[in-house]
């Protein structure tokens, strides 16, 4: 079973400008900025109450974020759900017929193991599973 919404991912063209906008909007600064080289993204994270927002900007033209913005413009890119055991959940979702975009979970931003479900299988929403890395 999936847990709480861990964060919302928002695709942005210019991370510095978006940081300024979201700092004004939320009334607080990002608590961290982190590059995920394997995904060709630079991210920044904000808390709003108990909720987390991730801004994502492409660092390379091959990034999923560049393609997304070229096709659909800036906006909500993915919804991430916390899971306790990502391997078990991926097996469950595969059996349910969802297309998993990663052969294996991989290390994402903010100390998480992550994997994605194809948006075509979830009503146009890219779903991310994320499990806290504890060791
Ligand atoms: N949400 C909803 N739909 C999306 C989407 C998204 N984030 N990204 C792409 N799509 C749609 C496209 O609009 C397109 O729809 P149409 O067929 O109706 O035109 C379709 O999916 C195919 O899109 P595409 O541009 O041809 O892109 P690809 O098929 O090459 O890749 C996807 C799409 C989702 C498989 C790929 O982006 C992916 O593997 N994403 C997971 C990894 C990722 O997003 N990494 C960046 C974030 C990393 C992080 O959070 O750290």
């Amino acid at each position: 079973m999936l847990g709480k919404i861990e964060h919302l991912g928002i695709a942005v063209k210019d991370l510095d400008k978006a940081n300024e906008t979201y700092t004004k909007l939320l009334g607080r600064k990002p608590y961290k900025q982190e590059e995920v080289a394997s995904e060709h993204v630079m991210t920044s994270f904000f808390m709003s109450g108990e909720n987390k927002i991730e801004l994502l900007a492409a660092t390379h033209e091959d990034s999923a974020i560049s393609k997304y913005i070229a096709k659909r413009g800036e906006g909500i890119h993915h919804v991430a759900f916390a899971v306790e055991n990502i391997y078990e959940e991926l097996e469950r979702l595969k059996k349910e017929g969802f297309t998993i975009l990663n052969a294996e979970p991989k290390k994402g931003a903010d100390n998480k193991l992550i994997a994605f479900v194809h948006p075509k299988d979830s009503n146009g929403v890219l779903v991310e599973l994320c499990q806290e890395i504890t060791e």
Side-chain angles (χ1 to χ4, degrees):
M1 163 193 325
L2 302 190
K4 69 169 188 176
I5 291 183
E6 210 281 330
H7 65 267
L8 287 182
I10 299 177
V12 305
K13 285 184 190 160
D14 181 324
L15 194 59
D16 289 338
K17 282 190 187 154
N19 278 337
E20 281 174 28
T21 302
Y22 276 78
T23 296
K24 285 183 204 156
L25 180 72
L26 301 172
R28 77 203 73 185
K29 294 186 172 178
Y31 66 87
K32 77 150 97 168
Q33 190 152 313
E34 184 180 345
E35 183 170 12
V36 185
S38 58
E39 294 291 312
H40 302 302
V41 292
M42 181 64 88
T43 66
S44 63
F45 286 90
F46 290 81
M47 291 306 295
S48 181
E50 294 179 351
N51 301 306
K52 195 189 283 180
I53 290 174
E54 176 186 27
L55 304 182
L56 303 117
T59 54
H60 191 277
E61 61 190 17
D62 288 342
S63 166
I65 299 301
S66 312
K67 282 182 87 175
Y68 180 88
I69 289 177
K71 217 167 210 178
R72 304 163 68 110
E74 295 181 297
I76 294 184
H77 176 260
H78 63 261
V79 179
F81 292 89
V83 294
E84 284 186 8
N85 185 325
I86 195 164
Y87 296 94
E88 274 180 24
E89 285 308 314
L90 289 175
E91 278 312 307
R92 185 181 70 78
L93 293 175
K94 270 187 221 165
K95 281 189 193 140
E96 294 285 6
F98 291 93
T99 305
I100 309 302
L101 292 167
N102 313 85
E104 285 292 322
K106 53 190 172 180
K107 172 102 172 46
D110 211 22
N111 200 38
K112 300 283 190 299
L113 261 186
I114 63 169
F116 291 89
V117 176
H118 201 289
K120 293 292 173 202
D121 292 347
S122 38
N123 304 82
V125 175
L126 177 63
V127 169
E128 178 181 340
L129 307 192
C130 50
Q131 179 185 339
E132 189 88 35
I133 297 171
T134 46
E135 75 274 14

